């Protein structure tokens, strides 16, 4: 804790420069394994996803009221609870699952567990996604030459008509600008805690079952071993010639 300044992603990257891409720190009494860099993160989340698919949910975290003391959070809990109650009433009359919440009910999840999922999805829809869009607009404004290329591609592919999902494969440069903005901005720079489901390894380091793991996406996205001039906005890096 004394080594963390409040800018978590940069602090964890700085520690990684000295201790390597896989190291452990204590957050209070809890030992946490930190993953930096593309190689370590790929080894864990892509090559061994089932080994890292658990989440630690201590009692305090499972109480929506404990997320925040703000009135807004209390109001949202009441709104989400009302939404869940409507689902439960309909589901009791007809247990045919129609959406994600119905599937949660079908699998016997508690109200509080379902509310956690609803709260998380609501947060992603109202925070992470809009945040990513704002960063993309900013990077395009700061790089007018990229903006011009993207506009030329849109004009060439779409002309005067509205876009369709089938246009996506033909808008390579536009997609590359979005990916590059998300790489640089890293709207969620450090992951929520993962937890291992079994004894496993990352980059040949042994990690026991039930170990909490933090993933530093910020460090991966700015890894100079993967990205040339990682601080620069270069959409071309994502286009396979």
């Amino acid at each position: 804790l004394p080594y963390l300044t409040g800018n978590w992603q940069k602090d964890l990257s700085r520690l990684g420069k000295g201790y390597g891409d896989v190291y452990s720190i204590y957050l209070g009494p809890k030992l946490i394994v930190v993953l930096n860099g593309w190689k370590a993160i790929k080894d864990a989340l892509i090559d061994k996803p089932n080994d890292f698919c658990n989440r630690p949910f201590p009692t305090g975290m499972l109480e929506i009221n404990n997320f925040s003391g703000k009135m807004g959070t209390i109001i949202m809990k009441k709104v989400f609870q009302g939404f869940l109650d409507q689902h439960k009433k309909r589901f009791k009359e007809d247990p045919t699952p129609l959406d994600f919440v119905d599937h949660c009910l079908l699998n016997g999840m508690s109200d509080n567990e379902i509310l956690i999922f609803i709260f998380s999805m609501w947060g992603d829809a109202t925070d992470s996604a809009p945040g990513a869009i704002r960063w993309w607009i900013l990077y395009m404004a700061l790089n007018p030459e990229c903006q011009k290329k993207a506009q030329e591609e849109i004009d060439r592919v779409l002309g005067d008509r509205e876009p369709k999902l089938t246009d996506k494969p033909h808008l390579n440069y536009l997609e590359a600008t979005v990916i590059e903005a998300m790489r640089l901005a890293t709207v969620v720079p450090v992951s929520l805690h993962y937890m291992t489901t079994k004894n496993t390894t990352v980059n040949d380091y042994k990690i026991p079952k039930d170990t909490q793991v933090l993933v530093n996406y910020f460090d991966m996205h700015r890894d100079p071993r993967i990205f040339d001039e990682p601080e620069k906005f270069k959409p071309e890096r994502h286009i396979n010639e």
Side-chain angles (χ1 to χ4, degrees), residues 1 6 14 17 23 27 29 32 38 48 77-79 94 115 117 146 158 171 180 188 201 218 222 231 239:
L1 282 176
R14 175 173 50 80
K17 298 293 189 294
Y23 63 91
L27 297 180
I32 308 291
W38 163 249
K48 303 168 186 171
K77 182 181 186 295
K78 289 184 178 296
V79 172
D94 179 10
L115 287 172
F117 278 113
C146 297
L158 301 184
L171 296 169
E180 181 69 346
V188 181
T201 61
F218 172 87
R222 300 187 181 226
E231 301 296 328
I239 299 176

Side-chain angles (χ1 to χ4, degrees), residues 206-222:
K206 295 180 180 179
I207 302 179
K209 180 184 177 182
D210 295 332
T211 299
Q212 293 188 32
V213 178
L214 276 179
V215 175
N216 189 356
Y217 299 123
F218 172 87
D219 186 84
M220 177 181 68
H221 288 167
R222 300 187 181 226

Side-chain angles (χ1 to χ4, degrees), residues 76-88 115:
M76 291 313 301
K77 182 181 186 295
K78 289 184 178 296
V79 172
F80 294 150
Q81 185 66 60
F83 174 77
L84 177 57
D85 289 343
Q86 290 177 358
H87 268 71
K88 291 172 69 176
L115 287 172

